[in-house]
C-alpha cells in the first residue's frame, strides 16, 4: 500500500427539517416508559432526541447502492450491504464510488481511506426550546398510536410510536469529505446525490407509513487545504436546498472552486 497524503477537506453544513414526524429508534425500554413500544434515541445528558451520524450515513449509503444497482454481498448484523472485497473490485472503472466514499468494513483487506464522515446532529437551540414546551410524557417528542389489524381475526393491536414532531429542525449537520487524490473531487457528487435520495425517501423508521420525510436546508460549503489548513474558505453563499446546489453548473463551479482551495500534487 502506498503512502497516504491528505490534501484537504470539504465541509457541507446543513439544517435538517422534519417535514413529517421522525422516528429514529433508541433502546427498547418501552415497557418501562408508559407502554411506548418504540422510543426515539436521545442524548442521555440533555434528554433531547438527535440524529445519529451513523443512521444518516447508512441511509445515504443504501440509497446510493440501490441507485447504482450494486450487489448486496456483505451481511453485517441485521443488514446486508455492498462491499468490494478485493482491491481489484475497489479500483475497477476508476474506483467503486460507494466503497471509496463510505468505506469498507475493517475485516475486508485494506483498500483506501474512507472519504466521508457524518457527525451526529442535535436539535437547533430554537427547536429544542419549542419542543421543550410540549407536555408529553417523554420530553421533546410526540406519541403516535398505530393500529395493526390481525388479518385473520380482525383484532386491532395498538402500538405506540414516539416521534420528533413535524417542524422540528436539527442542525447544523456536518458532512466532512476528505481529499486524498485528484479523483476524489468528482466523488463529492455521490454525497450530494445521496442527500437528494434521502430527501425523496425517508429517515428512520415507519417511513412507508408516513414518518421520516426530511428536508435539507440552508447549506454551506467550506474547505481547508493542507497548505494552509487553518484558513477556511467558503464557497459562494448559503444554498436554500440540495436541489439548488445539485444543479449541473453549480456542481461544476463547486468542484472548480474546491480544486483551487485544495491544491493536489
Ligand atoms: Zn464497492
Amino acid at each position: 500500500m502506498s503512502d497516504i497524503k491528505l490534501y484537504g477537506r470539504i465541509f457541507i453544513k446543513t439544517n435538517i427539517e422534519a417535514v413529517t414526524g421522525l422516528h429514529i429508534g433508541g433502546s427498547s425500554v418501552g415497557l418501562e416508559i408508559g407502554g411506548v413500544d418504540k422510543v426515539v434515541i436521545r442524548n442521555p445528558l440533555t434528554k433531547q432526541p438527535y440524529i445519529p451520524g451513523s443512521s444518516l450515513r447508512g441511509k445515504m449509503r443504501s440509497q446510493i447502492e440501490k441507485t447504482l444497482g450494486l450487489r448486496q454481498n456483505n451481511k453485517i448484523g441485521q443488514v446486508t450491504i455492498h462491499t468490494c472485497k478485493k482491491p481489484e473490485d475497489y479500483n475497477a472503472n476508476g474506483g467503486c464510488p460507494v466503497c471509496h466514499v463510505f468505506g469498507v468494513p475493517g475485516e475486508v483487506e485494506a483498500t483506501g481511506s474512507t472519504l466521508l464522515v457524518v457527525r451526529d446532529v442535535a436539535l437547533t437551540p430554537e427547536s429544542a426550546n419549542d419542543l421543550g414546551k410540549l407536555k408529553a410524557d417523554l420530553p421533546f417528542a410526540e406519541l403516535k398510536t398505530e393500529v395493526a389489524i390481525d388479518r385473520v381475526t380482525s383484532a386491532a393491536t395498538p402500538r405506540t410510536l414516539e416521534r420528533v414532531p413535524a417542524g422540528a429542525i436539527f442542525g447544523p449537520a456536518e458532512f466532512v469529505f476528505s481529499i486524498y487524490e485528484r479523483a476524489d473531487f468528482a466523488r463529492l457528487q455521490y454525497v450530494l446525490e445521496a442527500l437528494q435520495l434521502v430527501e425523496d425517501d425517508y429517515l428512520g423508521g415507519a417511513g412507508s407509513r408516513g414518518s421520516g420525510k426530511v428536508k435539507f436546508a440552508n447549506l454551506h460549503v467550506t474547505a481547508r487545504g493542507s497548505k494552509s489548513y487553518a484558513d477556511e474558505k467558503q464557497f459562494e453563499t448559503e444554498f436554500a436546498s440540495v436541489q439548488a446546489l445539485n444543479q449541473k453548473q453549480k456542481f461544476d463551479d463547486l468542484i472548480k472552486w474546491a480544486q483551487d482551495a485544495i491544491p493536489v500534487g
Side-chain angles (χ1 to χ4, degrees):
M1 188 156 183
S2 55
D3 292 342
I4 294 171
K5 175 152 174 56
L6 172 67
Y7 289 102
R9 290 192 168 112
I10 299 167
F11 304 85
I12 301 172
K13 287 187 187 148
T14 173
N15 281 344
I16 303 178
E17 299 178 11
V19 180
T20 63
L22 181 63
H23 173 84
I24 297 182
S27 51
S28 305
V29 292
L31 294 177
E32 296 150 37
I33 308 176
V36 180
D37 296 301
K38 292 186 163 186
V39 296
V40 299
I41 191 164
R42 285 187 161 76
N43 177 328
L45 290 180
T46 63
K47 307 292 182 224
Q48 292 178 16
Y50 70 100
I51 299 175
S54 56
S55 299
L56 187 49
R57 193 176 193 285
K59 188 70 188 192
M60 292 167 75
R61 179 179 188 135
S62 80
Q63 289 283 299
I64 287 283
E65 286 181 4
K66 284 180 189 166
T67 306
L68 297 176
L70 297 179
R71 201 152 68 90
Q72 307 289 298
N73 59 346
N74 190 17
K75 197 160 173 15
I76 301 175
Q78 307 253 24
V79 295
T80 305
I81 67 168
H82 155 80
T83 299
C84 288
K85 299 197 171 179
K86 295 185 217 142
E88 305 92 273
D89 298 335
Y90 182 82
N91 292 315
N93 305 317
C96 168
V98 165
C99 292
H100 274 81
V101 172
F102 296 94
V104 290
E107 73 272 14
V108 177
E109 187 182 344
T111 32
S113 300
T114 299
L115 304 184
L116 181 68
V117 168
V118 182
R119 305 218 194 272
D120 290 347
V121 199
L123 285 166
T124 62
E126 298 77 26
S127 240
N129 186 46
D130 291 348
L131 295 179
K133 293 173 190 156
L134 288 178
K135 294 271 185 294
D137 291 345
L138 297 165
F140 308 99
E142 64 175 3
L143 295 178
K144 178 173 185 258
T145 302
E146 298 188 331
V147 178
I149 306 291
D150 187 297
R151 297 296 184 271
V152 177
T153 65
S154 296
T157 311
R159 294 165 50 87
T160 315
L161 181 75
E162 190 190 18
R163 305 195 305 179
V164 179
I169 301 176
F170 295 82
E174 191 180 34
F175 303 86
V176 184
F177 188 85
S178 295
I179 300 292
Y180 294 97
E181 58 175 330
R182 194 172 299 279
D184 288 340
F185 287 107
R187 293 181 177 127
L188 186 64
Q189 169 201 342
Y190 295 98
V191 176
L192 295 179
E193 266 180 27
L195 293 180
Q196 184 66 65
L197 285 160
V198 171
E199 259 193 14
D200 295 344
D201 202 67
Y202 59 87
L203 199 55
S208 62
R209 300 194 299 281
S211 296
K213 180 175 167 63
V214 295
K215 179 173 167 43
F216 299 100
N218 309 100
L219 291 94
H220 293 261
V221 185
T222 60
R224 293 182 195 275
S226 60
K227 286 202 175 106
S228 55
Y229 195 77
D231 180 19
E232 188 174 20
K233 301 178 180 75
Q234 168 141 2
F235 175 62
E236 301 194 2
T237 50
E238 188 173 283
F239 290 86
S241 64
V242 181
Q243 293 89 320
L245 184 54
N246 246 341
Q247 288 165 6
K248 173 93 181 78
Q249 183 57 48
K250 200 46 73 184
F251 184 75
D252 290 348
D253 291 350
L254 170 64
I255 295 308
K256 239 178 259 161
W257 165 84
Q259 284 170 335
D260 259 11
I262 305 173
V264 171

